[in-house]
Amino acid sequence: MHLTKGVHIVVSHEKLPVTPIHLFDVGDGRMIFAIPRGRITYVGTTDTNYSGSIDEVHTEKLMLNI
C-alpha cells in the first residue's frame, strides 16, 4: 500500500443531471468522473500518488482543458 490523494465533490443531481456515469481523460493521465447516485452526483478525479506528510496535505489548483 501507499498514500494517494484525490479530490471529490458532491453536488445535487438537479444541478448536474448526468446519466449514466461519465469519464473524461485529463492531460496528466488521470480521469475525471461524474457518477449519478440518487439525488446527488459525485464528481472527482482518480487518485494520484502522494509522498508528503499526512499532516500537511493541501489542495492544488488543476486547470482542465476538456
Side-chain angles (χ1 to χ4, degrees):
M1 286 205 268
H2 62 274
L3 297 174
T4 63
K5 70 176 185 174
V7 176
H8 308 91
I9 60 172
V10 179
V11 297
S12 161
H13 186 70
E14 181 178 289
K15 299 284 185 186
L16 187 60
V18 297
T19 306
I21 294 172
H22 285 63
L23 299 171
F24 306 93
D25 287 319
V26 181
D28 65 2
R30 295 179 301 143
M31 298 191 77
I32 294 178
F33 58 80
I35 302 173
R37 183 163 173 106
R39 295 173 43 191
I40 60 174
T41 300
Y42 294 100
V43 180
T45 63
T46 53
D47 291 344
T48 56
N49 293 327
Y50 180 70
S51 59
S53 167
I54 61 173
D55 296 321
E56 296 292 326
V57 179
H58 302 282
T59 58
E60 299 171 19
K61 187 174 183 177
L62 174 63
M63 299 301 292
L64 302 175
N65 187 15
I66 55 174

